[in-house]
Amino acid sequence: AQSVTQLGSHVSVSEGALVLLRCNYSSSVPPYLFWYVQYPNQGLQLLLKYTSAATLVKGINGFEAEFKKSETSFHLTKPSAHMSDAAEYFCAVSDGTGTALIFGKGTTLSVSS
Amino acid sequence: DTAVSQTPKYLVTQMGNDKSIKCEQNLGHDTMYWYKQDSKKFLKIMFSYNNKELIINETVPNRFSPKSPDKAHLNLHINSLELGDSAVYFCASSHRAGQGEAFFGQGTRLTVV
């Protein structure tokens, strides 16, 4: 069975600081991995996805994530946080066998000036 | 032109009532989903339809009944609403079940009083 663990339910950074949101997955087959962002009172927007091509994936808004099979991780980073990055971030996994995306519990990112 | 649209955006109703949420996607996707997001922001898959056929039915009370008249529409009907049904319900779609990113609607915030 697939699962996703997001370490840290709340991450706080200063504007301009590095953003690191952690995600570890469990899957019996090579996974599809995703990061989504949710702004208040809105739906989920795809930030980036890993589908077995390049292990370093670049997404929108300056975010990127690296797939590390040995560590079963897919951490999300951004070199310099902006106030507008404050939101809820979700990591999700799929094993590609016809099941739905399974989401982690989310990480709230706060950015202070 | 909204890719996945759901109506209504807000729904306030009394316990015991029956209500429906409608969802439509114009992406030409084969698979549609209903997710429930609770007060702690946790996203849980409820149902998944592929080409109008139910393929995922998680442990959801049978008061919840999805209906897919065609592959572009997936509605959710809820009978005898309970306080615990209060949540945000998201509709989503993907090209194929579990093999790519899912596109989400804006959500329906259901409040049962």
Side-chain angles (χ1 to χ4, degrees):
Chain A
Q2 317 157 69
S3 67
V4 172
T5 302
Q6 290 185 240
L7 297 172
S9 59
H10 198 157
V11 171
S12 296
V13 299
S14 299
E15 196 171 20
L18 171 71
V19 175
L20 171 60
L21 304 183
R22 299 176 189 274
C23 173
N24 288 89
Y25 69 91
S26 172
S27 177
S28 57
V29 298
Y32 294 83
L33 292 160
F34 309 86
W35 276 99
Y36 284 83
V37 61
Q38 184 181 26
Y39 298 103
N41 298 316
Q42 293 191 26
L44 278 77
Q45 179 183 6
L46 181 71
L47 274 177
L48 48 79
K49 62 181 178 182
Y50 168 76
T51 55
S52 76
T55 56
L56 182 61
V57 181
K58 294 188 184 300
I60 62 171
N61 302 338
F63 284 94
E64 63 181 38
E66 186 172 7
F67 172 71
K68 291 187 177 180
K69 184 178 178 181
S70 59
E71 298 176 10
T72 60
S73 69
F74 190 57
H75 301 331
L76 181 71
T77 60
K78 182 173 179 178
S80 176
H82 192 273
M83 297 292 286
S84 61
D85 294 326
E88 191 78 18
Y89 290 81
F90 293 93
C91 183
V93 66
S94 168
D95 64 10
T97 61
T99 59
L101 297 187
I102 303 300
F103 285 85
K105 293 189 175 181
T107 298
T108 303
L109 175 66
S110 300
V111 182
S112 58
S113 57
Chain B
D1 197 20
T2 305
V4 181
S5 59
Q6 52 183 113
T7 54
K9 188 170 173 64
Y10 299 96
L11 187 53
V12 181
T13 188
Q14 291 188 325
M15 275 177 23
N17 283 352
D18 303 338
K19 290 293 178 185
S20 292
I21 307 171
K22 296 186 176 183
C23 179
E24 175 182 5
Q25 55 96 1
N26 63 6
L27 298 167
H29 288 164
D30 289 336
T31 308
M32 295 185 73
Y33 313 87
W34 279 110
Y35 281 86
K36 179 180 180 181
Q37 186 174 45
D38 63 22
S39 57
K40 294 184 179 180
K41 304 277 181 87
F42 183 54
L43 279 155
K44 189 178 188 321
I45 182 69
M46 299 174 69
F47 302 103
S48 174
Y49 269 75
N50 190 62
N51 277 322
K52 303 194 302 176
E53 182 181 340
L54 181 65
I55 57 172
I56 295 174
N57 184 354
E58 292 295 319
T59 308
V60 176
N62 58 15
R63 298 181 294 103
F64 290 78
S65 54
K67 285 188 173 53
S68 182
D70 56 61
K71 76 173 193 177
H73 295 83
L74 179 62
N75 303 322
L76 182 65
H77 188 75
I78 316 170
N79 290 327
S80 303
L81 277 155
E82 300 177 358
L83 293 176
D85 297 331
S86 295
V88 181
Y89 293 85
F90 284 101
C91 177
S93 72
S94 66
H95 182 53
R96 288 194 185 89
Q99 290 189 359
E101 67 267 37
F103 292 79
F104 283 77
Q106 291 296 293
T108 296
R109 183 176 294 277
L110 172 65
T111 304
V112 183
V113 297

